[in-house]
Structure formats: structure tokens, C-alpha cells
Amino acid sequence: MEQLPIVERFIAAHFPRAGIAVVAGSTARGTRTRTSDIDLLLIGDDIFETDAASFAGGFEFEGEFFEVFAYTVDGYGEWAARGVAQFRPVIVHMLVEGIEVRGGTALQELRHRWERVLVDGPRPEAHELEFRRYMITDQLDDLRDAQDPLERRVIAGLLFERTAELMLLGAGHWIGAGKYLPRRLRELSVDRTDALAAPLLQGDFDAFAGEVERELEAAGGRMQAGFVR
């Protein structure tokens, strides 16, 4: 990784007491673009000079932008568990899939623990999936009833996101936000992703509604009367 020297200099300058350091994101994958930042996960019980347990923020350093996620060991466990509970364990993916800068045995032990969580996948309760079907049912009706072009476009965007999340969770896959949602959806099924996305990209909202309806039926069908939040 050609950015390793600057990463090491950044850590030495800003978080010298970090025991674990992992570079994640496009830098770790080797897919950086012109605007890519450097995603950096840092863990250590003595990492902060105050009694803080976590920090998330950005730094400009030697012409690069660093997006930093820093935690004490307990702080990492708390925030990682929150991500798992929300079915979007961002910092767990960073830990397990990133490139080691510092860590050694301590990093390997932490990775071993959380890798099992990633492999097990999300475990949403039945009510969670029913609630998601309820929200999609409501928005699907809104899309079909809407006449204003802007309203239709906004509703369709929300429907894609919620339908994709239902598809992923129903199949035991973690969800993602932003650009990571279509990436995770393609990992589940390229064909289903293309079928859902094609009419949306073409602005054919009636056809898109039909694709959403098909995925909704595959997940158990419309959820409306009788559902209690």
C-alpha cells in the first residue's frame, strides 16, 4: 500500500498511543479515486489524553484527508455492537477487512472475535422484517398515487433503499448506506439488483413499482391492516 508511510506519519503526529491501526475503504482495496480519503480505524486504551471513549472526525494531513474512527477497547466494543444491532457494522468491516498498520496479536484476537459476528450475519426478528414490509407497502402506494414528478422521484429513491435493505436482511446479509448499499445488493444477486434498478435509472416509476411489488411478495407480501408497530 503506497499510502502506508503517510499513514504512519499521521498516527505518530495525532494518535501516537494507538495500539491498533487499520486502513480501510478504497485505500485498502486499491480502488482509490481522485477524491478518495483515507479511512483509518484506531484502537487503544491509552489512545486519548482525556477520558473520552470514542472519536470520529476528519483531518487534513500532508495533502490527504483522513477520516478517523478512534476508540478505546471498550469504546470500540460498544460502537461495534451498536452497528451490529442496526445491521450495518461499518467499523467491524473496517477491522476485519482493512490493512494492518499496527496491532500484531491484539489485532488478530480482536479480528477473530468480530469476524465470527460478520460471518454469522444479521439476525433481525420477525417484527423487524414485518415493519420494513409495512413501510414499503405504504410508500409503494404513495408512489403509485403521486402525480408530482419530484415527489415520485423522491419516493422512488426511498423505496429503492428500503427494498434493498429488506432483500439483504431477508437473505441474512448486512446492509449498507450510500454507495455501499448497491454494492452489497450486487453481492447478493446481480440479476435482482439490475431488475430493481433498471426502471429506476430509466425514470420508469410504474415499472419500478412493479419490481418493488415483486420483491415485497418474495419477502412475505404487503403488510398493512393488523400490523402493530
Side-chain angles (χ1 to χ4, degrees), residues 159-202:
L159 258 179
F160 179 88
E161 181 176 349
R162 288 181 170 162
T163 303
E165 290 182 351
L166 180 64
M167 292 164 64
L168 288 164
L169 291 176
H173 288 238
W174 299 108
I175 63 176
K179 62 188 178 185
Y180 291 101
L181 183 59
R183 291 177 185 179
R184 299 216 184 283
L185 196 60
R186 288 192 178 102
E187 290 172 1
L188 172 65
S189 171
V190 172
D191 290 342
R192 290 171 69 189
T193 301
D194 289 346
L196 182 66
L200 179 62
L201 294 173
Q202 295 164 5

mmCIF file of all heavy atoms in Angstrom, residues 159-202:
data_model
loop_
_atom_site.group_PDB
_atom_site.id
_atom_site.type_symbol
_atom_site.label_atom_id
_atom_site.label_comp_id
_atom_site.label_asym_id
_atom_site.label_seq_id
_atom_site.Cartn_x
_atom_site.Cartn_y
_atom_site.Cartn_z
ATOM 1 N N LEU A 159 -37.804 4.184 -1.699
ATOM 2 C CA LEU A 159 -38.277 2.809 -1.885
ATOM 3 C C LEU A 159 -37.155 1.874 -2.303
ATOM 4 O O LEU A 159 -37.100 0.725 -1.863
ATOM 5 C CB LEU A 159 -39.387 2.778 -2.954
ATOM 6 C CG LEU A 159 -40.817 2.678 -2.448
ATOM 7 C CD1 LEU A 159 -41.782 2.685 -3.636
ATOM 8 C CD2 LEU A 159 -41.031 1.432 -1.605
ATOM 9 N N PHE A 160 -36.264 2.356 -3.150
ATOM 10 C CA PHE A 160 -35.134 1.524 -3.543
ATOM 11 C C PHE A 160 -34.310 1.158 -2.310
ATOM 12 O O PHE A 160 -33.940 -0.005 -2.110
ATOM 13 C CB PHE A 160 -34.245 2.231 -4.561
ATOM 14 C CG PHE A 160 -33.050 1.398 -4.963
ATOM 15 C CD1 PHE A 160 -33.138 0.499 -6.017
ATOM 16 C CD2 PHE A 160 -31.849 1.483 -4.256
ATOM 17 C CE1 PHE A 160 -32.045 -0.291 -6.365
ATOM 18 C CE2 PHE A 160 -30.756 0.702 -4.607
ATOM 19 C CZ PHE A 160 -30.855 -0.187 -5.661
ATOM 20 N N GLU A 161 -34.017 2.148 -1.483
ATOM 21 C CA GLU A 161 -33.206 1.916 -0.287
ATOM 22 C C GLU A 161 -33.882 0.916 0.650
ATOM 23 O O GLU A 161 -33.245 -0.041 1.109
ATOM 24 C CB GLU A 161 -32.984 3.246 0.448
ATOM 25 C CG GLU A 161 -32.126 3.115 1.685
ATOM 26 C CD GLU A 161 -31.855 4.466 2.335
ATOM 27 O OE1 GLU A 161 -32.147 5.503 1.708
ATOM 28 O OE2 GLU A 161 -31.345 4.485 3.474
ATOM 29 N N ARG A 162 -35.163 1.115 0.917
ATOM 30 C CA ARG A 162 -35.850 0.236 1.868
ATOM 31 C C ARG A 162 -36.080 -1.161 1.294
ATOM 32 O O ARG A 162 -36.020 -2.160 2.015
ATOM 33 C CB ARG A 162 -37.165 0.879 2.298
ATOM 34 C CG ARG A 162 -36.909 2.059 3.217
ATOM 35 C CD ARG A 162 -38.138 2.746 3.710
ATOM 36 N NE ARG A 162 -37.766 3.691 4.763
ATOM 37 C CZ ARG A 162 -38.535 4.690 5.169
ATOM 38 N NH1 ARG A 162 -39.715 4.872 4.610
ATOM 39 N NH2 ARG A 162 -38.125 5.493 6.130
ATOM 40 N N THR A 163 -36.323 -1.237 -0.005
ATOM 41 C CA THR A 163 -36.493 -2.554 -0.628
ATOM 42 C C THR A 163 -35.179 -3.311 -0.638
ATOM 43 O O THR A 163 -35.129 -4.514 -0.344
ATOM 44 C CB THR A 163 -37.033 -2.397 -2.058
ATOM 45 O OG1 THR A 163 -38.265 -1.669 -2.025
ATOM 46 C CG2 THR A 163 -37.279 -3.758 -2.693
ATOM 47 N N ALA A 164 -34.090 -2.622 -0.974
ATOM 48 C CA ALA A 164 -32.776 -3.259 -0.969
ATOM 49 C C ALA A 164 -32.430 -3.777 0.417
ATOM 50 O O ALA A 164 -31.906 -4.893 0.574
ATOM 51 C CB ALA A 164 -31.717 -2.266 -1.444
ATOM 52 N N GLU A 165 -32.711 -2.997 1.452
ATOM 53 C CA GLU A 165 -32.419 -3.436 2.818
ATOM 54 C C GLU A 165 -33.241 -4.654 3.192
ATOM 55 O O GLU A 165 -32.738 -5.586 3.841
ATOM 56 C CB GLU A 165 -32.685 -2.292 3.801
ATOM 57 C CG GLU A 165 -31.681 -1.164 3.690
ATOM 58 C CD GLU A 165 -31.915 -0.053 4.692
ATOM 59 O OE1 GLU A 165 -32.977 -0.079 5.371
ATOM 60 O OE2 GLU A 165 -31.062 0.834 4.799
ATOM 61 N N LEU A 166 -34.502 -4.683 2.785
ATOM 62 C CA LEU A 166 -35.337 -5.844 3.068
ATOM 63 C C LEU A 166 -34.808 -7.081 2.349
ATOM 64 O O LEU A 166 -34.774 -8.179 2.927
ATOM 65 C CB LEU A 166 -36.785 -5.566 2.642
ATOM 66 C CG LEU A 166 -37.782 -6.707 2.891
ATOM 67 C CD1 LEU A 166 -37.929 -6.985 4.380
ATOM 68 C CD2 LEU A 166 -39.140 -6.370 2.278
ATOM 69 N N MET A 167 -34.398 -6.925 1.108
ATOM 70 C CA MET A 167 -33.825 -8.039 0.349
ATOM 71 C C MET A 167 -32.593 -8.596 1.057
ATOM 72 O O MET A 167 -32.419 -9.813 1.198
ATOM 73 C CB MET A 167 -33.470 -7.590 -1.060
ATOM 74 C CG MET A 167 -34.666 -7.259 -1.942
ATOM 75 S SD MET A 167 -34.224 -6.299 -3.423
ATOM 76 C CE MET A 167 -33.178 -7.460 -4.304
ATOM 77 N N LEU A 168 -31.721 -7.706 1.509
ATOM 78 C CA LEU A 168 -30.485 -8.127 2.157
ATOM 79 C C LEU A 168 -30.751 -8.795 3.501
ATOM 80 O O LEU A 168 -30.240 -9.891 3.772
ATOM 81 C CB LEU A 168 -29.563 -6.918 2.346
ATOM 82 C CG LEU A 168 -28.919 -6.384 1.064
ATOM 83 C CD1 LEU A 168 -28.363 -4.981 1.279
ATOM 84 C CD2 LEU A 168 -27.812 -7.326 0.598
ATOM 85 N N LEU A 169 -31.549 -8.158 4.332
ATOM 86 C CA LEU A 169 -31.803 -8.715 5.660
ATOM 87 C C LEU A 169 -32.563 -10.032 5.581
ATOM 88 O O LEU A 169 -32.298 -10.953 6.350
ATOM 89 C CB LEU A 169 -32.585 -7.710 6.506
ATOM 90 C CG LEU A 169 -31.811 -6.453 6.923
ATOM 91 C CD1 LEU A 169 -32.730 -5.486 7.667
ATOM 92 C CD2 LEU A 169 -30.616 -6.822 7.786
ATOM 93 N N GLY A 170 -33.487 -10.111 4.635
ATOM 94 C CA GLY A 170 -34.237 -11.352 4.467
ATOM 95 C C GLY A 170 -33.366 -12.522 4.061
ATOM 96 O O GLY A 170 -33.691 -13.684 4.324
ATOM 97 N N ALA A 171 -32.221 -12.213 3.435
ATOM 98 C CA ALA A 171 -31.294 -13.260 2.995
ATOM 99 C C ALA A 171 -30.116 -13.431 3.957
ATOM 100 O O ALA A 171 -29.177 -14.169 3.657
ATOM 101 C CB ALA A 171 -30.773 -12.928 1.596
ATOM 102 N N GLY A 172 -30.162 -12.722 5.102
ATOM 103 C CA GLY A 172 -29.086 -12.849 6.067
ATOM 104 C C GLY A 172 -27.820 -12.111 5.706
ATOM 105 O O GLY A 172 -26.727 -12.516 6.099
ATOM 106 N N HIS A 173 -27.957 -10.980 4.976
ATOM 107 C CA HIS A 173 -26.814 -10.168 4.582
ATOM 108 C C HIS A 173 -26.864 -8.819 5.290
ATOM 109 O O HIS A 173 -27.938 -8.259 5.519
ATOM 110 C CB HIS A 173 -26.816 -9.930 3.064
ATOM 111 C CG HIS A 173 -26.465 -11.139 2.261
ATOM 112 N ND1 HIS A 173 -25.397 -11.169 1.387
ATOM 113 C CD2 HIS A 173 -27.030 -12.365 2.189
ATOM 114 C CE1 HIS A 173 -25.320 -12.361 0.823
ATOM 115 N NE2 HIS A 173 -26.317 -13.107 1.288
ATOM 116 N N TRP A 174 -25.692 -8.283 5.597
ATOM 117 C CA TRP A 174 -25.609 -6.962 6.205
ATOM 118 C C TRP A 174 -26.014 -5.893 5.198
ATOM 119 O O TRP A 174 -25.791 -6.048 3.997
ATOM 120 C CB TRP A 174 -24.178 -6.679 6.682
ATOM 121 C CG TRP A 174 -23.691 -7.631 7.715
ATOM 122 C CD1 TRP A 174 -22.766 -8.613 7.549
ATOM 123 C CD2 TRP A 174 -24.107 -7.715 9.091
ATOM 124 N NE1 TRP A 174 -22.571 -9.300 8.727
ATOM 125 C CE2 TRP A 174 -23.379 -8.774 9.685
ATOM 126 C CE3 TRP A 174 -25.009 -6.992 9.868
ATOM 127 C CZ2 TRP A 174 -23.536 -9.130 11.030
ATOM 128 C CZ3 TRP A 174 -25.167 -7.346 11.205
ATOM 129 C CH2 TRP A 174 -24.442 -8.387 11.769
ATOM 130 N N ILE A 175 -26.602 -4.808 5.702
ATOM 131 C CA ILE A 175 -26.978 -3.705 4.826
ATOM 132 C C ILE A 175 -25.845 -2.683 4.788
ATOM 133 O O ILE A 175 -24.849 -2.804 5.502
ATOM 134 C CB ILE A 175 -28.299 -3.043 5.278
ATOM 135 C CG1 ILE A 175 -28.148 -2.409 6.672
ATOM 136 C CG2 ILE A 175 -29.426 -4.055 5.266
ATOM 137 C CD1 ILE A 175 -29.394 -1.663 7.140
ATOM 138 N N GLY A 176 -26.000 -1.665 3.961
ATOM 139 C CA GLY A 176 -25.001 -0.609 3.856
ATOM 140 C C GLY A 176 -25.692 0.696 3.539
ATOM 141 O O GLY A 176 -26.870 0.720 3.174
ATOM 142 N N ALA A 177 -24.957 1.786 3.664
ATOM 143 C CA ALA A 177 -25.509 3.107 3.361
ATOM 144 C C ALA A 177 -24.778 3.696 2.171
ATOM 145 O O ALA A 177 -23.630 3.340 1.880
ATOM 146 C CB ALA A 177 -25.376 4.028 4.571
ATOM 147 N N GLY A 178 -25.443 4.619 1.477
ATOM 148 C CA GLY A 178 -24.811 5.284 0.344
ATOM 149 C C GLY A 178 -24.378 4.299 -0.722
ATOM 150 O O GLY A 178 -25.107 3.372 -1.084
ATOM 151 N N LYS A 179 -23.146 4.462 -1.196
ATOM 152 C CA LYS A 179 -22.638 3.621 -2.279
ATOM 153 C C LYS A 179 -22.509 2.158 -1.875
ATOM 154 O O LYS A 179 -22.458 1.270 -2.740
ATOM 155 C CB LYS A 179 -21.284 4.145 -2.751
ATOM 156 C CG LYS A 179 -20.206 4.119 -1.675
ATOM 157 C CD LYS A 179 -18.938 4.833 -2.128
ATOM 158 C CE LYS A 179 -17.875 4.850 -1.061
ATOM 159 N NZ LYS A 179 -16.685 5.633 -1.458
ATOM 160 N N TYR A 180 -22.461 1.898 -0.568
ATOM 161 C CA TYR A 180 -22.293 0.517 -0.127
ATOM 162 C C TYR A 180 -23.575 -0.300 -0.229
ATOM 163 O O TYR A 180 -23.522 -1.525 -0.277
ATOM 164 C CB TYR A 180 -21.759 0.477 1.308
ATOM 165 C CG TYR A 180 -20.335 0.973 1.396
ATOM 166 C CD1 TYR A 180 -20.058 2.261 1.841
ATOM 167 C CD2 TYR A 180 -19.274 0.169 0.990
ATOM 168 C CE1 TYR A 180 -18.755 2.734 1.890
ATOM 169 C CE2 TYR A 180 -17.971 0.634 1.036
ATOM 170 C CZ TYR A 180 -17.717 1.916 1.488
ATOM 171 O OH TYR A 180 -16.432 2.380 1.534
ATOM 172 N N LEU A 181 -24.723 0.363 -0.280
ATOM 173 C CA LEU A 181 -25.974 -0.387 -0.395
ATOM 174 C C LEU A 181 -26.075 -1.118 -1.732
ATOM 175 O O LEU A 181 -26.299 -2.336 -1.746
ATOM 176 C CB LEU A 181 -27.169 0.537 -0.184
ATOM 177 C CG LEU A 181 -28.535 -0.152 -0.216
ATOM 178 C CD1 LEU A 181 -28.639 -1.223 0.855
ATOM 179 C CD2 LEU A 181 -29.648 0.882 -0.037
ATOM 180 N N PRO A 182 -25.910 -0.463 -2.885
ATOM 181 C CA PRO A 182 -25.948 -1.223 -4.144
ATOM 182 C C PRO A 182 -24.814 -2.236 -4.252
ATOM 183 O O PRO A 182 -24.989 -3.300 -4.873
ATOM 184 C CB PRO A 182 -25.846 -0.141 -5.224
ATOM 185 C CG PRO A 182 -25.336 1.073 -4.543
ATOM 186 C CD PRO A 182 -25.814 0.994 -3.131
ATOM 187 N N ARG A 183 -23.665 -1.947 -3.645
ATOM 188 C CA ARG A 183 -22.570 -2.920 -3.686
ATOM 189 C C ARG A 183 -22.949 -4.195 -2.935
ATOM 190 O O ARG A 183 -22.705 -5.308 -3.416
ATOM 191 C CB ARG A 183 -21.306 -2.310 -3.080
ATOM 192 C CG ARG A 183 -20.699 -1.208 -3.938
ATOM 193 C CD ARG A 183 -19.492 -0.579 -3.269
ATOM 194 N NE ARG A 183 -18.985 0.553 -4.037
ATOM 195 C CZ ARG A 183 -17.943 1.295 -3.678
ATOM 196 N NH1 ARG A 183 -17.296 1.024 -2.546
ATOM 197 N NH2 ARG A 183 -17.544 2.308 -4.433
ATOM 198 N N ARG A 184 -23.537 -4.030 -1.768
ATOM 199 C CA ARG A 184 -23.941 -5.218 -1.000
ATOM 200 C C ARG A 184 -25.085 -5.947 -1.705
ATOM 201 O O ARG A 184 -25.175 -7.174 -1.663
ATOM 202 C CB ARG A 184 -24.338 -4.814 0.409
ATOM 203 C CG ARG A 184 -23.214 -4.156 1.193
ATOM 204 C CD ARG A 184 -23.227 -4.529 2.656
ATOM 205 N NE ARG A 184 -22.199 -3.797 3.386
ATOM 206 C CZ ARG A 184 -20.913 -4.088 3.366
ATOM 207 N NH1 ARG A 184 -20.497 -5.109 2.639
ATOM 208 N NH2 ARG A 184 -20.037 -3.374 4.051
ATOM 209 N N LEU A 185 -25.953 -5.178 -2.353
ATOM 210 C CA LEU A 185 -27.068 -5.799 -3.061
ATOM 211 C C LEU A 185 -26.560 -6.626 -4.238
ATOM 212 O O LEU A 185 -27.063 -7.729 -4.495
ATOM 213 C CB LEU A 185 -28.045 -4.716 -3.534
ATOM 214 C CG LEU A 185 -29.436 -5.198 -3.944
ATOM 215 C CD1 LEU A 185 -30.139 -5.881 -2.780
ATOM 216 C CD2 LEU A 185 -30.268 -4.023 -4.442
ATOM 217 N N ARG A 186 -25.562 -6.127 -4.941
ATOM 218 C CA ARG A 186 -24.994 -6.893 -6.055
ATOM 219 C C ARG A 186 -24.290 -8.151 -5.564
ATOM 220 O O ARG A 186 -24.260 -9.168 -6.260
ATOM 221 C CB ARG A 186 -24.025 -6.023 -6.858
ATOM 222 C CG ARG A 186 -24.724 -4.955 -7.696
ATOM 223 C CD ARG A 186 -23.785 -4.309 -8.695
ATOM 224 N NE ARG A 186 -24.486 -3.324 -9.512
ATOM 225 C CZ ARG A 186 -24.412 -2.018 -9.328
ATOM 226 N NH1 ARG A 186 -23.663 -1.528 -8.344
ATOM 227 N NH2 ARG A 186 -25.079 -1.186 -10.113
ATOM 228 N N GLU A 187 -23.718 -8.094 -4.362
ATOM 229 C CA GLU A 187 -23.113 -9.295 -3.786
ATOM 230 C C GLU A 187 -24.176 -10.358 -3.518
ATOM 231 O O GLU A 187 -23.897 -11.554 -3.600
ATOM 232 C CB GLU A 187 -22.399 -8.952 -2.473
ATOM 233 C CG GLU A 187 -21.130 -8.121 -2.669
ATOM 234 C CD GLU A 187 -20.556 -7.630 -1.351
ATOM 235 O OE1 GLU A 187 -21.138 -7.961 -0.285
ATOM 236 O OE2 GLU A 187 -19.535 -6.915 -1.369
ATOM 237 N N LEU A 188 -25.390 -9.919 -3.210
ATOM 238 C CA LEU A 188 -26.496 -10.852 -3.004
ATOM 239 C C LEU A 188 -26.945 -11.446 -4.330
ATOM 240 O O LEU A 188 -27.049 -12.661 -4.482
ATOM 241 C CB LEU A 188 -27.666 -10.136 -2.328
ATOM 242 C CG LEU A 188 -28.978 -10.915 -2.204
ATOM 243 C CD1 LEU A 188 -28.799 -12.121 -1.280
ATOM 244 C CD2 LEU A 188 -30.089 -9.998 -1.697
ATOM 245 N N SER A 189 -27.239 -10.583 -5.316
ATOM 246 C CA SER A 189 -27.689 -11.044 -6.629
ATOM 247 C C SER A 189 -27.590 -9.914 -7.640
ATOM 248 O O SER A 189 -28.294 -8.901 -7.512
ATOM 249 C CB SER A 189 -29.136 -11.535 -6.561
ATOM 250 O OG SER A 189 -29.641 -11.785 -7.855
ATOM 251 N N VAL A 190 -26.754 -10.094 -8.628
ATOM 252 C CA VAL A 190 -26.633 -9.087 -9.693
ATOM 253 C C VAL A 190 -27.933 -8.994 -10.476
ATOM 254 O O VAL A 190 -28.399 -7.898 -10.820
ATOM 255 C CB VAL A 190 -25.455 -9.434 -10.625
ATOM 256 C CG1 VAL A 190 -25.446 -8.494 -11.839
ATOM 257 C CG2 VAL A 190 -24.130 -9.334 -9.876
ATOM 258 N N ASP A 191 -28.546 -10.136 -10.764
ATOM 259 C CA ASP A 191 -29.775 -10.144 -11.560
ATOM 260 C C ASP A 191 -30.904 -9.402 -10.852
ATOM 261 O O ASP A 191 -31.613 -8.592 -11.472
ATOM 262 C CB ASP A 191 -30.203 -11.577 -11.863
ATOM 263 C CG ASP A 191 -29.271 -12.269 -12.851
ATOM 264 O OD1 ASP A 191 -28.517 -11.553 -13.542
ATOM 265 O OD2 ASP A 191 -29.290 -13.512 -12.922
ATOM 266 N N ARG A 192 -31.097 -9.670 -9.567
ATOM 267 C CA ARG A 192 -32.174 -8.996 -8.816
ATOM 268 C C ARG A 192 -31.883 -7.511 -8.663
ATOM 269 O O ARG A 192 -32.797 -6.686 -8.720
ATOM 270 C CB ARG A 192 -32.367 -9.661 -7.452
ATOM 271 C CG ARG A 192 -32.972 -11.057 -7.532
ATOM 272 C CD ARG A 192 -32.931 -11.747 -6.181
ATOM 273 N NE ARG A 192 -33.828 -11.132 -5.218
ATOM 274 C CZ ARG A 192 -33.843 -11.450 -3.914
ATOM 275 N NH1 ARG A 192 -32.987 -12.364 -3.451
ATOM 276 N NH2 ARG A 192 -34.696 -10.867 -3.088
ATOM 277 N N THR A 193 -30.619 -7.181 -8.478
ATOM 278 C CA THR A 193 -30.238 -5.772 -8.370
ATOM 279 C C THR A 193 -30.543 -5.037 -9.668
ATOM 280 O O THR A 193 -31.135 -3.945 -9.662
ATOM 281 C CB THR A 193 -28.746 -5.634 -8.043
ATOM 282 O OG1 THR A 193 -28.467 -6.309 -6.816
ATOM 283 C CG2 THR A 193 -28.338 -4.171 -7.920
ATOM 284 N N ASP A 194 -30.152 -5.627 -10.788
ATOM 285 C CA ASP A 194 -30.391 -4.990 -12.085
ATOM 286 C C ASP A 194 -31.883 -4.866 -12.372
ATOM 287 O O ASP A 194 -32.337 -3.850 -12.919
ATOM 288 C CB ASP A 194 -29.711 -5.788 -13.193
ATOM 289 C CG ASP A 194 -28.189 -5.654 -13.157
ATOM 290 O OD1 ASP A 194 -27.693 -4.751 -12.447
ATOM 291 O OD2 ASP A 194 -27.511 -6.448 -13.831
ATOM 292 N N ALA A 195 -32.640 -5.899 -12.008
ATOM 293 C CA ALA A 195 -34.083 -5.862 -12.257
ATOM 294 C C ALA A 195 -34.746 -4.736 -11.473
ATOM 295 O O ALA A 195 -35.640 -4.045 -11.982
ATOM 296 C CB ALA A 195 -34.712 -7.205 -11.886
ATOM 297 N N LEU A 196 -34.295 -4.524 -10.242
ATOM 298 C CA LEU A 196 -34.871 -3.467 -9.408
ATOM 299 C C LEU A 196 -34.388 -2.089 -9.857
ATOM 300 O O LEU A 196 -35.156 -1.124 -9.870
ATOM 301 C CB LEU A 196 -34.485 -3.707 -7.941
ATOM 302 C CG LEU A 196 -35.044 -2.719 -6.910
ATOM 303 C CD1 LEU A 196 -36.565 -2.848 -6.821
ATOM 304 C CD2 LEU A 196 -34.414 -2.967 -5.532
ATOM 305 N N ALA A 197 -33.124 -2.005 -10.241
ATOM 306 C CA ALA A 197 -32.520 -0.705 -10.529
ATOM 307 C C ALA A 197 -32.834 -0.175 -11.923
ATOM 308 O O ALA A 197 -32.941 1.050 -12.115
ATOM 309 C CB ALA A 197 -31.006 -0.793 -10.353
ATOM 310 N N ALA A 198 -32.958 -1.067 -12.912
ATOM 311 C CA ALA A 198 -33.086 -0.618 -14.301
ATOM 312 C C ALA A 198 -34.244 0.354 -14.517
ATOM 313 O O ALA A 198 -34.045 1.438 -15.091
ATOM 314 C CB ALA A 198 -33.202 -1.823 -15.236
ATOM 315 N N PRO A 199 -35.469 0.048 -14.087
ATOM 316 C CA PRO A 199 -36.549 1.020 -14.327
ATOM 317 C C PRO A 199 -36.383 2.307 -13.532
ATOM 318 O O PRO A 199 -36.800 3.371 -13.986
ATOM 319 C CB PRO A 199 -37.812 0.252 -13.887
ATOM 320 C CG PRO A 199 -37.320 -0.820 -12.977
ATOM 321 C CD PRO A 199 -35.975 -1.191 -13.474
ATOM 322 N N LEU A 200 -35.744 2.221 -12.370
ATOM 323 C CA LEU A 200 -35.488 3.433 -11.592
ATOM 324 C C LEU A 200 -34.524 4.347 -12.336
ATOM 325 O O LEU A 200 -34.735 5.557 -12.436
ATOM 326 C CB LEU A 200 -34.920 3.056 -10.221
ATOM 327 C CG LEU A 200 -34.568 4.225 -9.286
ATOM 328 C CD1 LEU A 200 -35.814 5.033 -8.950
ATOM 329 C CD2 LEU A 200 -33.905 3.712 -8.013
ATOM 330 N N LEU A 201 -33.464 3.772 -12.878
ATOM 331 C CA LEU A 201 -32.482 4.559 -13.622
ATOM 332 C C LEU A 201 -33.080 5.153 -14.896
ATOM 333 O O LEU A 201 -32.653 6.212 -15.356
ATOM 334 C CB LEU A 201 -31.278 3.682 -13.969
ATOM 335 C CG LEU A 201 -30.444 3.194 -12.769
ATOM 336 C CD1 LEU A 201 -29.387 2.210 -13.229
ATOM 337 C CD2 LEU A 201 -29.803 4.380 -12.048
ATOM 338 N N GLN A 202 -34.065 4.464 -15.451
ATOM 339 C CA GLN A 202 -34.715 4.941 -16.681
ATOM 340 C C GLN A 202 -35.846 5.930 -16.394
ATOM 341 O O GLN A 202 -36.419 6.503 -17.321
ATOM 342 C CB GLN A 202 -35.267 3.745 -17.460
ATOM 343 C CG GLN A 202 -34.179 2.805 -17.979
ATOM 344 C CD GLN A 202 -34.729 1.455 -18.396
ATOM 345 O OE1 GLN A 202 -35.941 1.219 -18.389
ATOM 346 N NE2 GLN A 202 -33.829 0.542 -18.751
#
